[in-house]
Amino acid sequence: MAVFDTGMRISEPSEILGALQRVTRASIYFHFVEGRFRRKEEGDDFSAWLRSNGELGERLAASFSGVDVAFFSLRSLRDELVQRSQRVLEDEAERSQ
């Protein structure tokens, strides 16, 4: 697999939803599926970054940790991550009201 910089960056955990909706399936594979093998204890790339970015990041990472990649195509995996992100972000919005 060739790896290249897409130029996409996020600066806070609340931006993960929009990023997941835009990234390619190849990026999902590299950062989420293959990232779990590279990082072992840290989990995937997304979760490792999220955990280092506060309480919201911790909650988002925790929601991703239960995803078993063996049961998803890359397209449905992205949909699952989007749904989990939406739930956590909706909970966050309710908590801050």
Side-chain angles (χ1 to χ4, degrees):
M1 171 181 277
V3 177
F4 58 95
D5 186 350
T6 64
M8 187 181 299
R9 303 281 186 281
I10 63 174
S11 58
E12 56 187 69
S14 62
E15 297 172 342
I16 192 76
L17 177 59
L20 287 170
Q21 292 169 328
R22 292 188 316 271
V23 297
T24 65
R25 288 187 303 259
S27 290
I28 295 289
Y29 177 81
F30 180 77
H31 290 293
F32 195 78
V33 178
E34 198 250 288
R36 288 183 168 188
F37 295 103
R38 278 186 285 106
R39 290 183 172 272
K40 305 221 186 308
E41 299 84 31
E42 295 177 300
D44 61 273
D45 295 339
F46 299 140
S47 296
W49 181 82
L50 287 164
R51 275 199 278 323
S52 70
N53 282 278
E55 186 179 327
L56 176 58
E58 288 281 347
R59 287 198 305 277
L60 285 159
S63 76
F64 290 176
S65 69
V67 175
D68 186 343
V69 298
F71 294 104
F72 296 95
S73 68
L74 290 174
R75 179 172 287 134
S76 63
L77 176 57
R78 179 194 0 227
D79 293 343
E80 181 68 17
L81 295 174
V82 165
Q83 289 172 5
R84 287 172 182 248
S85 297
Q86 285 173 325
R87 282 193 296 267
V88 171
L89 293 171
E90 286 169 3
D91 289 347
E92 176 70 13
E94 288 176 13
R95 293 170 99 200
S96 64
Q97 290 181 356

